[in-house]
Amino acid sequence: MVLELHTWGPAFDLPSIDPQCLATIYYLQNVLGRPGESWVVIPSSDPRVSPLGELPALRDAETWVAGFSNIIAYLRDVSDGEWDLDKSLDEAQRADRAAFTSFLEFHGQPLLDLSLYVSSDNYLNRTRQALGQILTWPNSWTVPHRLRERAKKRSEHLGLSSLDVDTAQEDNSEDTGLTAHIPKSLRKPKQTVSGLLGRGLQKNKFRLDAITADFFEPVMEMLGGKSYLLSDEESSLDCLMLGYLALMQRPQVPQGWVRDALRTKYAKLGHWTEARITAVSDEPLDVGLIMGRKTGLVPARFQVPQERSLSQVLQAVVEGCISSIPVLGSGFDASEICSIQTAGRDRYREKQLRLARLQRRRDMYVQILASTFAVTGLLGWLGYKGILQLPRRAPQGRKFGEAGALFGLV
């Protein structure tokens, strides 16, 4: 069976808008060759396509594996080490790989969040549009907002929330009560959205430069004059770094401080990134064609995601309602399972069994909520049409007999 790699869809002439998905695509291309025969990329852009609720997700027959690290571990296990880019690394290099992988995820992801999601100018003019091209309803209404909220939370420790125009407007309105007592001729004109964005960028320029340097300088130091980070051959760490750097360099965003840094101060790293992007993605990508919204020849590396049925759309709406319920939603995510002690390939089978049980629980929640909505709607419609009438209780009270009837007492 052909391996299916489900990812977030393409954007900015890159195979995916997500760094982990990009890294996984680059990794599989290195170990399995260009996609088409043994594996294929499916830009489903829906984490619920797999029972793990996460992208990237690799499907091998009935087995699902999600996440960059888990996927490369699975490929290593099922091929007895043949599909392993890190098989030639020694112990010291493996330790460096583990440490620098954590560095990329904990420092590169917040920097990317600031650039693509937190900055209102970049998000509204580029990222939101890119997400709109790869998402279907109802995800196109809910997922972009959810992704941005997660990005804000991941990067809030950097203290640059003022890049978000909503925060800038709140700060600008703090002195509204005092402004009311100032004559109109002496008041400052209200700032436009562009003015707020420009002020936020200027105020945070030194902070942005420092954060950018904190990420790029260690990468430059580790790369040095080598072609690869760890050895003379490509490793999983190179694929992961390319996933992050590609999304920092390629998007033509209005506030492009990260892209400008790669092109000027860290030009060597920018050239390294562009050369490898061109090697693995050497043709412009038509998002509409890849997502099946246009007719034409789809590139061999991609497989158009299947159209969802009406029942799947309704289920997505109901699942979104359940996830937003405070108590019920916390236990709804099917990817929340305890650690598995089994080693080897058996651990993937055991995980599948646990996920199947959790999936049945999720389906039960969906059925209960959908049935409740259906019954409530039917009863309301019957009551509105007058078909269903609630029984009325007869008034009860004291009876006064003939004397009560004489005086009008019932």
Side-chain angles (χ1 to χ4, degrees):
M1 178 180 177
V2 177
L3 295 175
E4 297 179 358
L5 179 63
H6 293 260
T7 66
W8 292 101
F12 314 119
D13 274 337
L14 293 170
S16 177
I17 197 174
D18 179 77
Q20 296 271 334
C21 293
L22 280 178
T24 308
I25 293 172
Y26 298 151
Y27 186 92
L28 263 68
Q29 187 158 325
N30 274 284
V31 297
L32 298 177
R34 295 185 67 85
E37 295 183 1
S38 60
W39 69 286
V40 68
V41 179
I42 303 179
S44 55
S45 302
D46 185 4
R48 299 194 186 279
V49 72
S50 80
L52 298 162
E54 180 185 353
L55 295 176
L58 182 71
R59 181 187 180 189
D60 182 8
E62 299 300 322
T63 302
W64 287 90
V65 187
F68 175 72
S69 300
N70 294 330
I71 289 175
I72 64 176
Y74 176 79
L75 293 174
R76 180 182 63 245
D77 292 344
V78 299
S79 66
D80 295 328
E82 182 181 353
W83 297 341
D84 184 10
L85 284 182
D86 302 329
K87 57 186 175 183
S88 62
L89 300 181
D90 57 30
E91 291 299 324
Q93 291 171 334
R94 291 179 184 274
D96 290 340
R97 179 202 60 188
F100 213 74
T101 296
S102 299
F103 173 82
L104 288 177
E105 293 175 347
F106 287 103
H107 292 272
Q109 185 63 59
L111 183 60
L112 192 60
D113 289 335
L114 288 175
S115 176
L116 294 183
Y117 292 95
V118 178
S119 171
S120 293
D121 204 1
N122 294 346
Y123 174 77
L124 296 174
N125 291 295
R126 293 294 184 272
T127 310
R128 182 65 181 85
Q129 297 176 6
L131 289 172
Q133 291 180 325
I134 63 176
L135 295 171
T136 56
W137 190 88
N139 291 345
S140 58
W141 285 11
T142 60
V143 170
H145 175 73
R146 194 182 309 152
L147 292 176
R148 193 182 189 206
E149 289 303 315
R150 291 176 183 173
K152 289 180 181 180
K153 194 169 188 63
R154 285 193 301 259
S155 59
E156 64 182 358
H157 66 282
L158 299 176
L160 289 166
S161 59
S162 58
L163 293 173
D164 178 16
V165 68
D166 296 331
T167 304
Q169 286 176 330
E170 289 176 3
D171 295 340
N172 192 49
S173 60
E174 290 179 352
D175 58 349
T176 303
L178 295 176
T179 305
H181 300 283
I182 301 176
K184 292 183 179 181
S185 59
L186 300 178
R187 293 181 190 177
K188 293 182 179 179
K190 292 183 178 180
Q191 294 199 44
T192 62
V193 172
S194 300
L196 289 170
L197 291 170
R199 187 185 70 172
L201 186 63
Q202 292 174 3
K203 182 175 67 175
N204 296 307
K205 188 176 188 307
F206 293 107
R207 180 65 177 155
L208 288 170
D209 291 342
I211 294 173
T212 304
D214 288 343
F215 176 70
F216 286 136
E217 287 182 1
V219 175
M220 287 283 292
E221 182 179 353
M222 189 168 189
L223 184 62
K226 306 188 301 292
S227 298
Y228 305 105
L229 289 171
L230 297 174
S231 64
D232 295 333
E233 298 178 357
E234 195 140 21
S235 67
S236 62
L237 183 60
D238 295 287
C239 297
L240 185 60
M241 188 173 78
L242 183 58
Y244 284 102
L245 294 183
L247 282 168
M248 293 178 183
Q249 177 158 307
R250 273 296 180 90
Q252 301 293 325
V253 292
Q255 306 295 343
W257 69 88
V258 180
R259 185 185 72 245
D260 295 341
L262 276 172
R263 293 183 175 181
T264 56
K265 190 174 181 179
Y266 307 100
K268 180 181 177 181
L269 194 58
H271 295 322
W272 183 93
T273 304
E274 192 62 36
R276 274 149 187 79
I277 294 175
T278 305
V280 297
S281 181
D282 54 356
E283 57 184 4
L285 300 177
D286 190 329
V287 179
L289 190 64
I290 294 171
M291 299 305 297
R293 299 190 181 101
K294 293 182 181 179
T295 57
L297 183 62
V298 180
R301 75 173 82 177
F302 291 100
Q303 180 177 315
V304 176
Q306 294 182 352
E307 293 186 6
R308 293 191 298 176
S309 62
L310 178 60
S311 61
Q312 290 175 322
V313 173
L314 294 177
Q315 183 172 358
V317 174
V318 175
E319 288 179 353
C321 296
I322 296 177
S323 299
S324 62
I325 299 175
V327 178
L328 190 61
S330 60
F332 182 69
D333 193 352
S335 63
E336 296 178 359
I337 62 175
C338 57
S339 59
I340 297 175
Q341 303 298 328
T342 309
R345 299 187 63 173
D346 290 339
R347 65 192 177 101
Y348 299 104
R349 298 190 184 96
E350 184 178 348
K351 189 173 184 179
Q352 290 299 117
L353 292 176
R354 296 187 185 185
L355 286 170
R357 290 194 291 268
L358 289 172
Q359 182 64 39
R360 286 196 294 270
R361 186 184 68 184
R362 290 182 61 199
D363 293 340
M364 180 186 67
Y365 289 160
V366 171
Q367 292 171 5
I368 291 174
L369 190 59
S371 300
T372 302
F373 286 160
V375 171
T376 303
L378 178 61
L379 292 177
W381 181 80
L382 292 176
Y384 175 76
K385 292 294 185 179
I387 301 175
L388 179 65
Q389 295 183 355
L390 296 177
R392 297 181 179 179
R393 294 182 59 186
Q396 297 181 357
R398 298 179 62 184
K399 297 181 178 180
F400 297 95
E402 296 180 357
L406 178 63
F407 292 101
L409 299 175
V410 180

